[in-house]
């Protein structure tokens, strides 16, 4: 186990835990439920999200064997049948509105065992969840080719016109009935929304009208794969042709090793609505050129070009040195859709070299880090506010629309608040434009505490600003609140004077601060003042309006101060 853990780490993976079905069930549901479960040891391995070729045992073992230099990377071969003998998949124009793309391939003379079959199904499920984005971008269908006859047609029909026997069901249903049938299915109900409100559903038939599948929901029972299946027809339909090609490539490269002629795939001709044809799978090999010094510099090593080529070859990227040793020619196999840029090749070289073998060096650039002035000011103010007897609160930056508008007697449009497009809960609909609601909610949650309650918070508020590149701007606000049997306006006023004193801002009009009577919807009439400093209005202080207090489910009066501290940086 330790050796395997070490090997995974060297290969850039993580062995998450070593467990068994019994362990998992007993952890989740208790010892009783785990009785009778299997004791077979399971390895849970974390695979990077872009390495689709490692999502099944076949690919993982192959990758590790090549890495250990026990085998050479197999060469995948596409066999194009003679004219008129191969399978064809015809796409009709009806599909354009719902799932326009389809690709297909055939695995000939394959031999399944129970484990291979389970791995085959499991890989499809993992791809569905990952690159296929829960089947929204691509849906995979695999069929027993000997139960059907080509050419196949991918079209879209009204739900009432579609009728077939879905996988593992005993009778035929129409498409509408299938939707109702799976509405309660824990696994399939998550995919119904992809097509259920569309006028036509995608469907694949063979030449005799037998239904292969209704993507992205369910395959037909007629073409079900068993352990005796010898020839497999694979189709991937979707809304993203690039992803569909990758998914098809991954499935055929992983399981073609069980074919009579290992690593060969029979091609299928896809006919588009405009009459054009294309042969799939593409199984494209491509070469990239990388300079050895580029790899050495980025990783921080000094390897010879030939040893770099060897490192990359161990990572399934067959490489050799060209042109007086100043270039590496790297062949990207069809299994490695994650190699998009030279830096992906550099990363693989670093993994093969071994992260632990890279020498640690002191950075060449010498810099002295400094705190952001605004954060430094906020930290200093926090100390002084705490020294003044106030307790710091930290509240959420998101709140509900009511908190910053209705409850404070304002209209939501006047707040200039940034809205969340798809909020998870009603509590998190907008970014706060004031810190006051957060502190009032904190007091409401702490009503049992002895009075007086004195709280403060120094945090960012967010308002829309069309002049910035992101369309919004943050301001660092200071908010303090005093909650007691009497409003205590003088205590909050005293706190403002103390804050200005530590900021060394004198109480005068020329270059200091002043307060002037003002009105605010959240404040008691005649008990509100605006604070001016540095020639601008920086906030308000006053006694909170009784309506606001009751809306936040409080019972005592309170006074509050909220100012913007950015002018003092």
């Amino acid at each position: 186990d330790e050796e395997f853990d070490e090997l995974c780490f060297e290969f850039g993976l993580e062995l998450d835990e070593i467990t068994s079905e019994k362990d998992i069930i007993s952890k989740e549901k208790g010892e009783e439920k785990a009785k009778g479960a299997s004791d077979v040891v399971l390895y849970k391995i974390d695979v990077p999200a872009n390495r689709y070729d490692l999502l099944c045992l076949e690919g993982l073992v192959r990758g590790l064997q090549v890495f250990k230099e026990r085998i050479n990377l197999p060469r995948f071969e596409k066999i194009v049948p003679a004219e008129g003998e191969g399978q064809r998949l015809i796409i009709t124009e009806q599909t354009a509105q719902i799932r326009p793309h389809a690709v297909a391939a055939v695995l000939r003379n394959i031999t399944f065992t129970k484990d291979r079959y389970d791995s085959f199904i499991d890989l499809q499920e993992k791809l569905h969840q990952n690159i296929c984005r829960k089947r929204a971008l691509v849906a995979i269908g695999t069929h027993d080719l000997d139960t059907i006859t080509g050419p196949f047609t991918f079209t879209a029909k009204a739900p009432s016109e579609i009728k077939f026997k879905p996988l593992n069901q005993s009778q035929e249903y129409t498409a509408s009935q299938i939707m109702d049938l799976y509405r309660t299915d824990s696994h399939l109900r998550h995919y119904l929304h992809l097509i259920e409100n569309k006028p036509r559903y995608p469907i694949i038939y063979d030449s005799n009208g037998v239904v292969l599948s209704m993507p992205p929901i369910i395959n037909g029972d007629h073409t079900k794969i068993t352990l005796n299946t010898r020839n497999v027809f694979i189709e991937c339909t979707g809304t993203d042709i690039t992803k569909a090609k990758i998914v098809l490539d991954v499935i055929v490269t992983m399981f073609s090793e069980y074919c009579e002629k290992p690593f060969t795939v029979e091609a299928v001709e896809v006919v588009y609505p405009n009459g054009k044809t294309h042969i799939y799978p593409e199984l494209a090999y491509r070469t990239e050129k990388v300079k050895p010094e580029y790899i050495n510099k980025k990783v921080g090593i000094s390897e010879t070009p030939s040893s770099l080529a060897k490192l990359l070859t161990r990572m399934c990227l067959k490489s050799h040195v060209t042109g007086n040793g100043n270039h590496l020619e790297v062949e990207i196999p069809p299994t490695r859709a994650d190699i998009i840029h030279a830096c992906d090749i550099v990363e693989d070289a670093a993994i093969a070299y071994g992260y632990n073998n890279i020498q640690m060096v002191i950075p060449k650039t010498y810099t002295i880090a400094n705190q952001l002035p605004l954060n430094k000011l906020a930290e200093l103010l926090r100390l002084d506010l705490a020294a003044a007897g106030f307790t710091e609160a930290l509240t959420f930056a998101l709140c509900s629309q009511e908190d910053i508008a209705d409850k404070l007697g304002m209209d939501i449009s006047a707040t200039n608040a940034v809205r969340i497009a798809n909020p998870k809960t009603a509590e998190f609909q907008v970014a706060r434009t004031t810190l006051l609601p957060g502190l009032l909610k904190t007091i409401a949650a702490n009503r049992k505490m002895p009075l007086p309650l004195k709280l403060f918070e120094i945090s960012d508020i967010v308002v829309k600003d069309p002049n910035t590149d992101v369309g919004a701007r943050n301001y660092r606000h200071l908010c303090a609140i005093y909650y007691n049997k009497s409003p205590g306006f003088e205590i909050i006023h005293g706190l403002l004077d103390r804050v200005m004193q530590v900021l060394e801002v004198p109480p005068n009009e020329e270059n200091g601060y002043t307060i002037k009577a003002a009105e605010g919807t959240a404040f008691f009439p005649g008990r509100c003042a605006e604070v001016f400093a540095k020639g601008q209005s920086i906030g308000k202080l006053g006694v909170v309006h009784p309506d606001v207090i009751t809306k936040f489910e409080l019972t005592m009066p309170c006074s509050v101060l909220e100012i913007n501290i950015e002018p003092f940086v």
Side-chain angles (χ1 to χ4, degrees):
D1 288 346
E2 282 79 42
E3 285 176 335
F4 185 68
D5 190 6
E6 190 61 30
L7 175 62
C8 282
F9 181 79
E10 283 172 14
F11 190 55
L13 306 177
E14 189 182 350
L15 180 58
D16 208 24
E17 59 173 328
I18 298 169
T19 176
S20 68
E21 238 166 71
K22 195 170 189 175
D23 284 354
I24 295 171
I25 296 172
S26 68
K27 254 186 213 164
E28 287 174 4
K29 299 178 181 167
E31 302 266 327
E32 282 302 305
K33 293 260 168 67
K35 278 184 182 158
S38 120
D39 278 337
V40 178
V41 173
L42 296 175
Y43 285 168
K44 272 183 145 177
I45 302 170
D46 262 349
V47 176
N50 58 352
R51 289 297 301 269
Y52 316 115
D53 56 312
L54 304 177
L55 286 176
C56 65
L57 187 65
E58 288 72 12
L60 184 63
V61 168
R62 194 183 303 157
L64 288 170
Q65 294 274 40
V66 173
F67 182 67
K68 296 286 283 177
E69 300 182 83
R70 290 186 186 164
I71 60 169
N72 288 327
L73 181 68
R75 185 90 194 168
F76 302 104
E77 196 187 337
K78 171 165 69 174
I79 295 174
V80 181
E83 188 70 35
E85 286 182 20
Q87 298 297 341
R88 283 162 66 222
L89 175 62
I90 299 155
I91 305 178
T92 68
E93 60 213 1
Q94 281 84 354
T95 59
Q97 300 304 315
I98 177 157
R99 268 183 119 70
H101 304 292
V103 296
V106 173
L107 292 176
R108 281 273 172 210
N109 299 322
I110 192 167
T111 310
F112 279 121
T113 61
K114 177 86 177 77
D115 287 342
R116 291 174 185 182
Y117 174 79
D118 290 345
S119 176
F120 188 57
I121 300 300
D122 191 46
L123 172 65
Q124 290 174 48
E125 202 35 58
K126 287 204 175 84
L127 290 169
H128 272 150
Q129 294 309 318
N130 178 341
I131 181 176
C132 304
R133 294 285 178 275
K134 302 205 163 95
R135 302 194 191 179
L137 301 183
V138 188
I140 309 160
T142 52
H143 313 277
D144 187 333
L145 185 59
D146 301 324
T147 62
I148 41 184
T149 48
F152 306 103
T153 309
F154 174 42
T155 183
K157 286 190 165 182
S160 53
E161 294 173 28
I162 298 173
K163 191 169 188 190
F164 67 101
K165 183 164 143 193
L167 193 61
N168 302 331
Q169 297 293 335
S170 52
Q171 65 183 75
E172 288 198 346
Y173 296 93
T174 66
S176 317
Q177 291 168 327
I178 289 173
M179 291 304 217
D180 295 334
L181 177 70
Y182 290 128
R183 219 173 287 290
T184 52
D185 186 289
S186 64
H187 176 57
L188 291 174
R189 65 191 166 124
H190 304 296
Y191 309 118
L192 300 183
H193 70 93
L194 293 171
I195 62 169
E196 71 179 333
N197 297 324
K198 302 276 195 290
R200 291 165 175 262
Y201 290 0
I203 187 101
I204 300 177
Y205 293 104
D206 81 344
S207 57
N208 300 325
V210 174
V211 171
L212 277 71
S213 69
M214 183 171 83
I217 310 299
I218 190 82
N219 287 355
D221 193 66
H222 183 88
T223 61
K224 185 161 86 178
I225 292 182
T226 64
L227 297 185
N228 303 325
T229 299
R230 296 288 289 145
N231 300 303
V232 179
F233 179 71
I234 303 166
E235 39 82 10
C236 302
T237 60
T239 52
D240 182 326
I241 184 70
T242 313
K243 299 266 195 299
K245 289 179 195 172
I246 293 172
V247 168
L248 184 66
D249 277 351
V250 169
I251 293 177
V252 297
T253 51
M254 293 303 111
F255 286 89
S256 54
E257 71 173 84
Y258 300 134
C259 293
E260 202 164 57
K261 283 173 71 180
F263 307 115
T264 62
V265 184
E266 183 182 309
V268 172
E269 183 179 35
V270 174
V271 185
Y272 291 101
N274 61 9
K276 286 188 179 157
T277 64
H278 199 296
I279 304 286
Y280 291 106
E282 291 196 335
L283 286 187
Y285 282 87
R286 68 173 210 272
T287 51
E288 298 285 351
K289 280 194 173 163
V290 186
K291 290 191 169 169
E293 59 264 30
Y294 175 75
I295 298 180
N296 280 330
K297 187 176 165 209
K298 290 281 181 211
V299 181
I301 53 180
S302 51
E303 292 291 290
T304 63
S306 57
S307 78
L308 286 174
K310 196 172 166 193
L311 290 176
L312 288 169
T313 304
R314 283 176 55 207
M315 295 300 288
C316 299
L317 300 174
K318 203 167 155 198
S319 309
H320 57 271
V321 184
T322 61
N324 319 336
N326 54 15
H327 271 99
L328 287 179
E329 207 162 86
V330 185
E331 185 179 54
I332 318 291
T335 46
R336 293 297 305 272
D338 59 299
I339 305 284
I340 301 169
H341 182 275
C343 64
D344 298 308
I345 296 173
V346 173
E347 181 190 14
D348 272 14
I351 290 172
Y353 185 81
Y355 285 170
N356 287 349
N357 301 329
I358 300 170
Q359 288 289 305
M360 288 198 179
V361 290
I362 292 172
K364 296 233 181 6
T365 48
Y366 182 66
T367 54
I368 298 173
N370 249 337
Q371 201 175 6
L372 201 66
L374 180 61
N375 288 346
K376 188 170 182 180
L377 174 69
E379 284 298 330
L380 292 168
L381 280 170
R382 285 189 179 106
L383 288 172
D384 275 304
L385 285 166
F390 282 71
T391 304
E392 183 171 22
L394 284 171
T395 60
F396 290 120
L398 298 177
C399 59
S400 69
Q401 293 193 16
E402 283 79 55
D403 289 343
I404 56 166
D406 309 1
K407 289 185 181 176
L408 299 180
M410 283 176 76
D411 187 68
I412 187 71
S413 56
T415 60
N416 217 2
V418 176
R419 286 191 194 185
I420 309 295
N422 49 348
K424 273 269 192 251
T425 69
E427 279 296 291
F428 296 150
Q429 295 170 327
V430 291
R432 61 183 172 194
T433 54
T434 158
L435 300 178
L436 179 59
L439 289 181
L440 288 169
K441 287 200 284 194
T442 306
I443 289 180
N446 289 281
R447 280 175 302 203
K448 295 192 175 64
M449 301 296 275
L451 294 173
L453 286 174
K454 298 153 83 174
L455 300 181
F456 79 91
E457 178 169 13
I458 301 178
S459 289
D460 280 5
I461 60 117
V462 185
V463 287
K464 281 188 196 155
D465 182 350
N467 303 323
T468 61
D469 54 348
V470 290
R473 187 184 287 278
N474 289 21
Y475 291 102
R476 188 70 50 93
H477 273 203
L478 175 161
C479 185
I481 192 163
Y482 177 82
Y483 179 77
N484 201 357
K485 292 194 171 76
S486 64
F489 180 78
E490 66 285 357
I491 288 169
I492 282 295
H493 191 178
L495 184 73
L496 171 69
D497 290 346
R498 173 65 184 152
V499 168
M500 291 301 163
Q501 187 184 1
V502 297
L503 289 170
E504 294 185 345
V505 179
N508 61 39
E509 278 196 27
E510 278 78 62
N511 53 359
Y513 75 100
T514 53
I515 61 172
K516 294 190 177 133
E519 291 301 321
T521 51
F523 296 98
F524 198 83
R527 292 275 189 284
C528 169
E530 198 162 1
V531 185
F532 291 88
K534 305 261 178 170
Q536 65 194 75
S537 163
I538 57 164
K540 287 192 170 127
L541 76 158
V543 177
V544 179
H545 200 290
D547 289 353
V548 176
I549 290 175
T550 48
K551 279 178 186 160
F552 280 96
E553 297 166 14
L554 298 173
T555 49
M556 304 275 181
C558 65
S559 50
V560 63
L561 157 74
E562 180 161 7
I563 57 170
N564 175 9
I565 62 167
E566 293 194 6
F568 305 107
V569 175

